């Protein structure tokens, strides 16, 4: 039985959301595929995205970035965490080598921690990076680039470059220095439009647009709390922390997830991020976005989506004040182009499948894990 070992950064939910469609495609191609997820990501979110029966090893293999909500990165504090990670790298590498030796996977797929790629290379296990970014390029393009210790940068750059392959799904940061890079199409799921059912369950009249507020992966960010009620759109949000409103419905109260409502929406309000942008393009949803400003990946994401789907930028000040009516009206009136094809899913699955068909090792059960 083939075994895929997936290592994912838990910086929000975007990295798992990016890798999951590929893993699902591989599971369809290879019945009985064993999947191990190594990440400290929320188990419920992992279960909502990955095929059933995977093993979850709940531990981090990289640092990510510290955040104050979805829009503000704590850059200087994050640099200290990267320095601490490098200072203990020998111990961490020894642990990761032991984990992979026990697991004996056919392939390590990382989105996009570098430690598992390093450990796999040292064990002779095929190792592939899959991501629209890498942490080296994020840090080198960040406001604190000069503060990052040189050994941290050297380690990441070397490990990413030594992977068997580094797959860049559109839209990706350039990463032109990678000798092993391969570009593929977008990775995102296309979902079923359940608009009529959603109107009935929310009690929303015909003709009133649905607007999805999606700043996923970060709790406690609730702009609706300060906004007056209105009749221009009906908001769909994960939770209504400030209480019930006639112009909004929480997905949690309906037992629904974002993928189940996205195609029914006439626009999405979000920050630029790979998952939200690729899913908007693939499901034909216009986007109202707020820049983080200091996030290096935005330079690749924003132009890509603007060329394919109606978009409109608002400022963080306007977001918090609820001054959105003009931008919402413009997006709702915009002509909708054809949805983008998520061609990257099958492209990546075809690339990875030969590694998973190459052998059938004897597998040992991982410690401290959960079967989901």
């Amino acid at each position: 039985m083939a075994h895929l070992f997936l290592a994912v950064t838990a910086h929000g939910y975007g990295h798992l959301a990016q890798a999951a469609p590929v893993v699902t495609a591989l599971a369809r191609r290879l019945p009985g595929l064993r999947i191990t997820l190594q990440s400290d990501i929320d188990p419920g979110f992992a279960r909502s995205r990955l095929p059933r029966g995977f093993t979850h090893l709940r531990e981090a293999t990289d640092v990510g970035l510290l955040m104050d909500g979805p829009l503000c990165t704590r850059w200087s504090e994050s640099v200290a965490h990267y320095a601490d990670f490098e200072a203990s790298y020998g111990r961490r590498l020894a642990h990761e080598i032991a984990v992979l030796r026990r697991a004996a996977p056919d392939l390590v797929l990382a989105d996009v921690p570098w430690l598992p790629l390093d450990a796999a290379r040292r064990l002779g296990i095929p190792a592939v990076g899959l991501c629209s970014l890498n942490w080296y390029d994020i840090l080198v393009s960040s406001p604190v680039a000069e503060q990052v210790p040189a050994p941290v940068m050297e380690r990441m750059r070397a490990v990413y470059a030594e992977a068997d392959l580094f797959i860049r799904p559109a839209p990706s940061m350039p990463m032109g220095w990678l000798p092993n890079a391969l570009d593929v199409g977008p990775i995102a799921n296309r979902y079923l439009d359940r608009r009529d059912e959603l109107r009935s369950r929310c009690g929303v009249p015909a003709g009133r647009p649905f607007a999805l507020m999606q700043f996923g992966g970060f709790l406690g960010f609730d702009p609706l709390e300060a906004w007056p009620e209105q009749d221009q759109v009906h908001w769909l949000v994960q939770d209504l922390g400030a209480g019930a409103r006639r112009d909004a419905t929480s997905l949690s109260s309906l037992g629904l997830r974002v993928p189940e409502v996205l195609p029914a929406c006439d626009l999405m309000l979000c920050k630029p991020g790979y998952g939200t942008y690729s899913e908007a393009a693939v499901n034909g949803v216009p986007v109202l976005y707020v820049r983080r400003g200091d996030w290096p990946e935005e330079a690749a994401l924003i132009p890509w989506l603007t060329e394919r789907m109606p978009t409109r930028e608002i400022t963080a000040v306007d977001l918090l004040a609820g001054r959105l009516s003009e931008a919402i009206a413009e997006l709702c009136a915009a002509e909708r182009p054809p949805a983008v094809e998520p061609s990257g899913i099958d492209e990546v699955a075809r690339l990875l499948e030969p590694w998973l068909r190459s052998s059938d090792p004897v597998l040992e059960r991982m410690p401290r894990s959960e079967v989901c």
Side-chain angles (χ1 to χ4, degrees):
M1 182 188 301
H3 184 188
L4 173 67
F5 190 98
L6 174 66
V8 172
T9 302
H11 180 251
Y13 293 154
H15 292 273
L16 181 58
Q18 185 176 77
V22 171
V23 175
T24 300
L26 286 169
R28 287 196 299 265
R29 289 167 173 263
L30 299 165
L33 175 68
R34 180 178 175 179
I35 301 162
T36 295
L37 169 67
Q38 186 182 35
S39 177
D40 58 342
I41 201 163
D42 174 66
F45 182 74
R47 287 192 296 270
S48 75
R49 291 287 179 147
L50 291 174
R52 293 181 62 183
F54 69 93
T55 297
H56 190 178
L57 181 61
R58 294 182 62 188
E59 60 182 13
T61 57
D62 66 354
V63 180
L65 291 168
L66 299 175
M67 305 289 297
D68 280 331
L71 301 178
C72 183
T73 304
R74 291 153 54 188
W75 288 108
S76 294
E77 292 175 68
S78 297
V79 168
H81 280 247
Y82 276 90
D84 290 345
F85 191 92
E86 177 63 25
S88 59
Y89 193 82
R91 173 180 58 80
R92 295 176 185 274
L93 179 62
H95 172 73
E96 188 68 8
I97 286 173
V99 166
L100 291 179
R101 184 175 283 122
R102 288 193 298 269
D106 296 288
L107 175 66
V108 170
L109 180 64
D111 194 329
V112 66
W114 62 99
L115 177 66
L117 295 173
D118 193 0
R121 181 183 60 82
R122 293 168 189 261
L123 289 170
I125 299 170
V128 174
L130 167 66
C131 198
S132 54
L133 58 83
N134 65 74
W135 294 116
Y136 170 82
D137 276 312
I138 290 293
L139 289 177
V140 82
S141 303
S142 76
V144 294
E146 299 302 318
Q147 300 175 30
V148 184
V152 173
M153 304 299 276
E154 292 164 3
R155 174 91 65 186
M156 286 191 292
R157 183 177 174 119
V159 172
Y160 286 135
E162 290 169 351
D164 290 277
L165 193 62
F166 196 108
I167 302 172
R168 300 180 299 205
S172 283
M173 295 179 72
M175 302 183 249
W177 54 273
L178 281 170
N180 51 355
L182 181 66
D183 293 318
V184 298
I187 294 176
N189 284 319
R190 181 167 288 161
Y191 303 112
L192 180 66
D193 189 337
R194 302 167 63 179
R195 189 181 305 259
D196 292 340
E197 175 190 344
L198 193 59
R199 287 197 181 280
S200 175
R201 294 187 66 180
C202 295
V204 175
R208 182 167 300 166
F210 280 114
L212 174 65
M213 186 182 297
Q214 171 66 345
F215 293 95
F218 298 94
L219 301 177
F221 184 75
D222 184 15
L224 273 176
E225 186 175 2
W227 295 357
E229 292 185 341
Q230 47 76 54
D231 296 314
Q232 186 179 21
V233 296
H234 190 83
W235 291 104
L236 299 172
V237 299
Q238 185 59 46
D239 293 291
L240 285 169
R245 301 169 56 106
R246 65 176 173 80
D247 64 346
T249 299
S250 71
L251 299 184
S252 60
S253 71
L254 300 178
L256 296 175
R257 301 180 294 112
V258 167
E260 295 170 294
V261 303
L262 178 61
C265 292
D266 298 277
L267 64 97
M268 175 165 54
L269 172 61
C270 62
K271 68 184 189 309
Y274 187 90
T276 49
Y277 269 38
S278 62
E279 290 194 340
V282 164
N283 289 278
V285 179
V287 166
L288 183 61
Y289 68 91
V290 185
R291 289 180 189 260
R292 283 180 273 185
D294 59 0
W295 185 243
E297 192 187 14
E298 288 181 339
L301 296 174
I302 292 172
W304 182 87
L305 186 62
T306 300
E307 292 174 1
R308 291 162 175 81
M309 200 60 53
T311 66
R312 173 75 182 263
E313 180 181 358
I314 58 169
T315 66
V317 172
D318 285 342
L319 169 69
L320 296 176
R323 291 191 291 265
L324 311 178
S325 59
E326 179 185 339
I328 288 173
E330 179 183 319
L331 287 180
C332 288
E335 183 178 349
R336 301 286 184 89
V340 174
E341 288 299 318
S343 58
I345 299 174
D346 285 336
E347 289 179 79
V348 178
R350 286 196 299 270
L351 287 166
L352 301 184
E353 186 177 359
W355 274 305
L356 292 166
R357 289 191 180 278
S358 64
S359 62
D360 188 13
V362 176
L363 304 172
E364 299 180 26
R365 190 174 185 82
M366 279 191 190
R368 303 183 305 283
S369 61
E370 302 173 6
V371 176
C372 304

